[in-house]
Amino acid sequence: MEEKPDALIQVIEHDKGRIEIIIDKEHYRPLMTSLSQAMCGAFDIAGEHDKVVYRTIRELTQRGIRQREGRNAPSRQDR
């Protein structure tokens, strides 16, 4: 994937299935709040859902990679 420095959220696929998530620092809290609302059904002010949001983004990205590569079952490291 190519990096887009002006994007508010970047998901970058590295070697060996490593995923890097970069979130624009100036918009971090509103973005995490919106993602928490969308993914967790919770309004997150304190940040307790940040790890859940990161994990969900990573899992969705890895699922897309597996589908693109023709694999449907999660790998051992994805569980």
Side-chain angles (χ1 to χ4, degrees):
M1 288 181 194
E2 82 180 57
E3 292 186 36
K4 298 182 180 181
D6 57 339
L8 295 178
I9 299 175
Q10 295 184 64
V11 180
I12 302 167
E13 175 186 352
H14 294 282
D15 293 338
K16 299 181 182 179
R18 200 178 106 234
I19 304 297
E20 179 180 7
I21 299 169
I22 301 171
I23 298 176
D24 180 88
K25 188 175 184 175
E26 291 181 29
H27 298 93
Y28 179 85
R29 182 49 41 207
L31 285 168
M32 290 307 289
T33 299
S34 295
L35 289 169
S36 293
Q37 287 175 311
M39 294 180 190
C40 305
F43 188 75
D44 179 17
I45 297 276
E48 67 269 12
H49 293 299
D50 288 10
K51 288 181 183 177
V52 174
V53 171
Y54 288 135
R55 188 171 47 245
T56 303
I57 292 171
R58 185 185 73 237
E59 289 172 6
L60 290 170
T61 303
Q62 289 174 334
R63 182 182 308 162
I65 292 167
R66 285 192 305 271
Q67 288 174 348
R68 188 175 66 230
E69 294 175 349
R71 296 181 293 145
N72 290 324
S75 70
R76 186 178 197 120
Q77 73 184 39
D78 294 340
R79 292 183 211 156

